[in-house]
Amino acid sequence: KLTGTIEYRPLYNLRELTHFDISGNQLSGEVEALIAPSVKYADFSNNGFTSMRRFEKYKVRSLQTLRYCDVSNNVIQQNATDILEIIAPNIEQFIASNNNISGSLPASLNNLPKLRQFIMASNALCGDLPDFTQSFATLQELDVSNQTEGFTGPIPEKLWRSLSLKILNLADNRLTGTIPSLVGNLDELEVFDLSNNLINSSLPSELGLLGGG
């Protein structure tokens, strides 16, 4: 297994590099997802990284090309806003589960129209769930379950209008409010988990409409 830290500066000269996978090692230090000008796929999962650099605007080309970023199963201890305030605008899959990322999610997530998979389960996130309005145009999987701090407040109404959602996992938080009849609009939904929250309503009959039921 690879150990130590990564010197990223020389890697940025690899102008044709599109796929970078160093998962399943014992690397530490900082993650730099925009590792090369043409990178589309970056997998840093299952290591010992402790932080993640911001997505820098000056790296214009790689900021536009990145589609997949996986930093799950590390020991990243940062505020979510520091990581996500600037994010690759064409990102399709962002996975950062099983870390120690804290704080609330920034409103900038609204600017990710191609996002299909957003997974930040098993961290220390808190605050209100943001209104992912624009992102939800194509979002298929949202998993922010099992937060040690926990999201609070009601689930945003526009979430129930996200017709492309297939997986919705908000379990093990402190969400309140009710499940509206709009849940019946989620025709594509395959996984629905709101367990271990503070929801104070019965399940609406419209839930039976899912999947043509």
Side-chain angles (χ1 to χ4, degrees):
K1 290 182 180 289
L2 298 173
T3 60
T5 60
I6 299 175
E7 175 55 54
Y8 291 105
R9 187 179 297 273
L11 295 174
Y12 205 72
N13 295 321
L14 302 175
R15 311 193 72 80
E16 303 303 318
L17 181 69
T18 60
H19 188 288
F20 185 77
D21 187 343
I22 52 170
S23 60
N25 283 288
Q26 295 175 358
L27 295 164
S28 58
E30 192 172 42
V31 167
E32 167 58 288
L34 304 182
I35 195 166
S38 300
V39 68
K40 295 181 180 180
Y41 180 103
D43 189 345
F44 298 84
S45 64
N46 296 287
N47 279 284
F49 291 107
T50 55
S51 63
M52 182 176 180
R53 289 185 191 175
R54 287 189 179 191
F55 293 90
E56 299 289 355
K57 286 184 177 180
Y58 74 87
K59 293 186 174 180
V60 177
R61 186 174 171 185
S62 54
L63 191 67
Q64 296 295 323
T65 60
L66 188 66
R67 298 292 190 273
Y68 177 96
C69 180
D70 187 348
V71 295
S72 62
N73 297 295
N74 282 286
V75 285
I76 296 173
Q77 302 184 41
Q78 280 175 276
N79 189 283
T81 300
D82 291 338
I83 296 173
L84 299 172
E85 186 174 19
I86 300 170
I87 192 167
N90 294 313
I91 195 85
E92 296 175 6
Q93 296 169 274
F94 182 79
I95 306 167
S97 52
N98 292 294
N99 283 285
N100 193 28
I101 299 170
S102 60
S104 57
L105 294 176
S108 62
L109 290 173
N110 288 345
N111 301 319
L112 304 175
K114 297 181 180 180
L115 186 67
R116 291 186 290 109
Q117 184 182 49
F118 185 78
I119 303 177
M120 292 192 72
S122 300
N123 279 288
L125 298 173
C126 61
D128 294 337
L129 279 177
D131 178 1
F132 298 89
T133 308
Q134 295 180 39
S135 297
F136 281 151
T138 57
L139 194 67
Q140 296 177 6
E141 180 174 0
L142 174 63
D143 187 346
V144 290
S145 62
N146 193 34
Q147 303 298 327
T148 56
E149 295 295 326
F151 288 106
T152 55
I155 299 169
E157 180 180 339
K158 290 183 179 179
L159 172 63
W160 308 111
R161 303 180 187 274
S162 305
L163 304 184
S164 59
L165 268 179
K166 294 184 176 181
I167 298 175
L168 175 61
N169 191 346
L170 306 177
D172 296 293
N173 281 286
R174 292 185 290 151
L175 295 167
T176 58
T178 62
I179 301 173
S181 60
L182 288 171
V183 69
N185 295 335
L186 304 180
D187 291 337
E188 301 296 320
L189 200 63
E190 299 173 359
V191 176
F192 179 70
D193 194 344
L194 290 178
S195 59
N196 296 311
N197 277 286
L198 302 174
I199 304 295
N200 58 4
S201 71
S202 58
L203 293 176
S205 60
E206 287 80 3
L207 196 62
L209 299 175
L210 298 180

